[in-house]
Amino acid sequence: MATGNGLSIGVYVFDGAEELNVAGPFEVFTAWRERSALKPRVATFSWDGRGVRLAQGLHMVPDRSADDVGPLQLLVYPGGPGVQQLVGDRIHLEWLHAMRVQTPLLASVCTGSLVLAAAGLLAGRPATTHWDHYDELAGIDPSIMVDTETRYVDDGDVVTSAGVSAGIDMALHLVE
């Protein structure tokens, strides 16, 4: 999945991911690809490479599986109702933790931050999520400094965003 310059962006998709949490950042990054000399590779991937059914019923066929996505410079983790199952999936959380070790920049949209928190990736950091899930984020890991005021929180190598449209703002910030 690497490009000539090695810049690869992967958007993880799963059953129950919110459509705009996936499509908003994906659109920003692919529009950037068309205008940037960097020409980053932007791809979607699911756990097994099979199609997923997103939160509102849209069926999506990802480009790759988690095993085939290759090294990423940016992993985008969306939110949606499907995160509730992933927050408690030990194997998935171990995979996410391993991906974090090899991925320089991690970003979440909406409730995707809940899964990052469950994997221990937000411990002691400032972070945000959808406004209806602030308490849940704090409950997963009380050391997280939950920011209830901003649309996205950039903590260097981890960036979290609030609700759906905030994911677009976060992606624009990352492109900038």
Side-chain angles (χ1 to χ4, degrees):
M1 183 166 150
T3 59
N5 64 14
L7 183 57
S8 297
I9 300 169
V11 180
Y12 183 68
V13 296
F14 52 89
D15 287 330
E18 185 63 44
E19 281 83 348
L20 287 176
N21 283 200
V22 172
F26 183 84
E27 177 72 17
V28 170
F29 294 128
T30 57
W32 176 47
R33 176 187 63 210
E34 299 306 315
R35 293 162 178 80
S36 169
L38 295 175
K39 300 293 183 209
R41 171 84 181 230
V42 182
T44 57
F45 69 103
S46 69
W47 183 257
D48 57 9
R50 293 187 180 146
V52 296
R53 184 181 177 125
L54 301 179
Q56 304 306 317
L58 180 68
H59 292 263
M60 179 179 183
V61 178
D63 299 310
R64 304 207 184 313
S65 73
D67 288 338
D68 297 329
V69 73
L72 299 172
Q73 281 63 53
L74 170 59
L75 168 59
V76 179
Y77 202 102
V83 302
Q84 295 305 322
Q85 179 180 357
L86 297 172
V87 163
D89 183 333
R90 183 186 54 78
I91 292 170
H92 182 76
L93 297 176
E94 289 173 1
W95 166 81
L96 185 56
H97 199 272
M99 283 295 290
R100 175 63 189 113
V101 169
Q102 62 188 358
T103 305
L105 183 58
L106 184 61
S108 68
V109 181
C110 196
T111 56
S113 61
L114 301 177
V115 183
L116 272 57
L121 302 176
L122 300 180
R125 291 178 175 268
T128 195
T129 191
H130 184 276
W131 63 267
D132 203 26
H133 296 271
Y134 293 146
D135 291 341
E136 188 175 357
L137 181 59
I140 291 172
D141 182 345
S143 76
I144 297 169
M145 296 166 273
V146 180
D147 187 331
T148 62
E149 301 297 319
T150 60
R151 295 182 57 73
Y152 59 85
V153 174
D154 185 337
D155 193 39
D157 59 343
V158 176
V159 182
T160 56
S161 69
V164 174
S165 62
I168 296 169
D169 292 345
M170 177 195 68
L172 289 167
H173 166 73
L174 291 171
V175 166
E176 181 181 40

